[in-house]
């Protein structure tokens, strides 16, 4: 069963844990720090095409009136009923009329046959979100309707025990439609990619990024 795991430091999207795997997602010139992953990046370097069935809660945030392929700018997780969990920095300058979500999508160019586009009814940003240091970088989108069971499956929340029982240095899997090249002109994939990274000790993560990120 998929579970969602809110990690100590995050700038781009959500982390999930499934059988000791963590998954993050995002797109464009943003970066994530997934579960203490050893280095932040907006890129999926040397990634491989993921299996769509592994990501039934995957959600693309898309600019209103633009296709998923050209308009996707951030990711999120479907968490049940008509709610999507995402990062506050993705939506802090947007209103509900500026975006839609596409739930259950794997290949952005196949929006017509994959997933479902749903309007956003309300955006809830954490009241203590700070855009300067990304403290409390969490937001929830309320959709105009809940996805059907054939469109998306909700991810299950993990409790504090999840992190405690996930050994340090566990191999985690991050995924996204992020930039696939380390330097030069950005290149964004059509299909959802994934790549393995290592889980760092929280103490190491805090030392490396002290003053730049805060627990969420």
């Amino acid at each position: 069963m998929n579970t969602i795991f809110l990690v100590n430091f995050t700038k781009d999207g959500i982390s999930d844990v499934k059988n000791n795997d963590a998954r993050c997602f995002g797109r464009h010139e943003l970066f994530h720090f997934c579960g203490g992953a050893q280095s932040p990046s907006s890129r999926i370097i040397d990634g491989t095409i993921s299996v769509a069935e592994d990501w039934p809660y995957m959600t693309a945030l898309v600019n209103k009136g633009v296709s998923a392929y050209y308009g996707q700018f951030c990711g999120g997780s479907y968490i049940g009923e008509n709610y999507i969990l995402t990062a506050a920095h993705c939506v802090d300058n947007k209103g509900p009329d500026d975006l839609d979500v596409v739930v259950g999508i794997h290949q952005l160019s196949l929006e017509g046959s994959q997933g479902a586009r749903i309007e956003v009814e309300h955006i809830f940003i954490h009241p203590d979100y700070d855009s300067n240091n990304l403290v409390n970088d969490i937001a929830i989108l309320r959709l105009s309707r809940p996805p059907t069971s054939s469109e998306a499956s909700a991810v299950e929340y993990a409790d504090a025990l999840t992190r405690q029982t996930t050994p340090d240095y566990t191999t985690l899997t991050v995924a996204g439609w992020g930039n696939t090249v380390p330097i030069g002109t950005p290149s964004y994939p059509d299909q959802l990619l994934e790549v393995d990274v290592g889980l760092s000790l929280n103490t190491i993560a805090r030392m490396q990024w002290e003053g730049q990120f805060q627990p969420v």
Side-chain angles (χ1 to χ4, degrees), residues 27-150:
R27 187 175 176 87
H28 297 311
E29 298 306 316
L30 306 171
F31 64 87
H32 55 247
F33 191 47
C34 176
Q38 292 174 355
S39 62
S41 177
S42 63
R43 302 172 176 88
I44 304 293
I45 306 300
D46 293 329
T48 58
I49 296 174
S50 64
V51 177
E53 289 74 20
D54 288 345
W55 306 88
Y57 47 86
M58 185 67 188
T59 302
L61 275 60
V62 180
N63 288 313
K64 177 81 75 174
V66 185
S67 70
Y69 183 77
Y70 289 107
Q72 191 268 343
F73 63 89
C74 264
S77 277
Y78 171 51
I79 57 175
E81 298 185 10
N82 54 335
Y83 294 99
I84 302 294
L85 182 63
T86 189
H89 75 266
C90 289
V91 293
D92 64 346
N93 62 345
K94 292 182 179 293
D97 293 336
D98 296 325
L99 72 155
D100 295 321
V101 304
V102 182
V103 298
I105 192 168
H106 181 261
Q107 186 168 346
L108 297 173
S109 64
L110 296 181
E111 180 186 356
S113 59
Q114 291 184 7
R117 181 178 285 243
I118 304 176
E119 294 183 341
V120 175
E121 188 175 79
H122 196 88
I123 298 173
F124 301 93
I125 294 177
H126 194 293
D128 296 321
Y129 166 63
D130 189 330
S131 61
N132 294 316
N133 55 21
L134 299 177
V135 171
N136 301 308
D137 188 15
I138 300 173
I140 291 178
L141 312 181
R142 186 172 68 205
L143 307 182
S144 60
R145 68 168 179 86
T148 66
S149 59
S150 64

Side-chain angles (χ1 to χ4, degrees), residues 121-202:
E121 188 175 79
H122 196 88
I123 298 173
F124 301 93
I125 294 177
H126 194 293
D128 296 321
Y129 166 63
D130 189 330
S131 61
N132 294 316
N133 55 21
L134 299 177
V135 171
N136 301 308
D137 188 15
I138 300 173
I140 291 178
L141 312 181
R142 186 172 68 205
L143 307 182
S144 60
R145 68 168 179 86
T148 66
S149 59
S150 64
E151 293 170 341
S153 299
V155 70
E156 181 182 347
Y157 288 107
D159 56 24
L161 184 63
T162 305
R163 177 61 185 94
Q164 297 171 13
T165 57
T166 303
D168 296 317
Y169 311 114
T170 295
T171 297
L172 311 178
T173 304
V174 299
W177 294 288
N179 188 8
T180 60
V181 296
I183 58 175
T185 303
S187 176
Y188 297 103
D190 183 19
Q191 298 185 69
L192 189 69
L193 302 184
E194 63 183 28
V195 66
D196 289 342
V197 298
L199 176 67
S200 295
L201 292 165
N202 282 338

Side-chain angles (χ1 to χ4, degrees), residues 3-15:
T3 55
I4 197 164
F5 179 28
L6 297 183
V7 298
N8 287 328
F9 304 93
T10 179
K11 187 173 187 267
D12 188 18
I14 313 305
S15 290

